[in-house]
């Protein structure tokens, strides 16, 4: 099943440099639905504007790492969790995403994450 959604964490991922933020725009341009999924209560407007959906804190009634978060966000994008790629720097959150059925990328640095996301979403390299 092709991946058609990209769910990204804010703190520790999108705060890791322009290359990761630009990756969101590249995915959207390729037709991939995007969502920012963060335990933060607020994120900068310019960051939130890069995404099709923004889910902050307990707004869904559940929080990361509960697998239900990823299922509900995928549904918001019109997808199943299995059609989504989740990028997060916290292993516990990735476990929840994987339990929901999503493909996961453990963010450690911008270059590695960019390369992995490009491959998994079949984006052309920059």
């Amino acid at each position: 099943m092709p991946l058609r959604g990209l769910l990204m964490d804010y703190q520790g991922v999108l705060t890791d440099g322009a290359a990761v933020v630009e990756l969101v725009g590249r995915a959207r341009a390729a037709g991939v639905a995007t969502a920012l999924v963060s335990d933060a209560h607020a994120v900068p407007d310019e960051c939130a504007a890069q995404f099709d959906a923004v889910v902050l804190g307990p707004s869904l009634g559940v929080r990361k790492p509960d697998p239900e978060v990823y299922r509900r966000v995928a549904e918001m994008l019109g997808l199943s969790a299995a059609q989504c790629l989740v990028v997060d720097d916290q292993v516990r959150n990735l476990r929840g995403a994987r339990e929901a059925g999503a493909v996961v990328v453990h963010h450690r640095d911008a270059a590695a994450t960019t390369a992995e996301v490009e491959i998994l979403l079949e984006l052309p390299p920059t």
Side-chain angles (χ1 to χ4, degrees):
M1 177 178 300
L3 296 173
R4 297 180 35 228
L6 176 62
L7 284 54
M8 295 189 84
D9 180 41
Y10 176 68
Q11 188 64 41
V13 177
L14 290 166
T15 55
D16 205 11
V20 182
V21 176
E22 290 168 5
L23 192 56
V24 178
R26 292 174 52 214
R28 283 180 86 183
V32 175
T34 60
L36 174 67
V37 184
S38 176
D39 280 334
H41 292 284
V43 297
D45 290 340
E46 60 273 7
C47 182
Q50 302 295 314
F51 291 88
D52 297 311
V54 177
V55 176
L56 300 178
S59 63
L60 295 178
V62 289
R63 292 183 86 128
K64 296 188 307 183
D66 190 321
E68 190 61 25
V69 169
Y70 305 101
R71 289 185 198 105
R72 290 184 190 178
V73 174
E75 286 175 18
M76 290 172 65
L77 297 175
L79 303 170
S80 69
Q83 294 174 291
C84 294
L85 174 61
V86 175
V87 179
D88 203 300
D89 63 321
Q90 298 293 317
V91 171
R92 65 188 175 92
N93 294 336
L94 295 172
R95 286 189 179 122
R98 186 165 298 188
E99 187 177 327
V103 174
V104 301
V105 169
H106 184 189
H107 176 76
R108 293 181 183 93
D109 65 71
T113 295
T114 298
E116 287 186 66
V117 171
E118 285 174 346
I119 291 167
L120 291 167
L121 294 181
E122 300 179 7
L123 302 176
T126 55

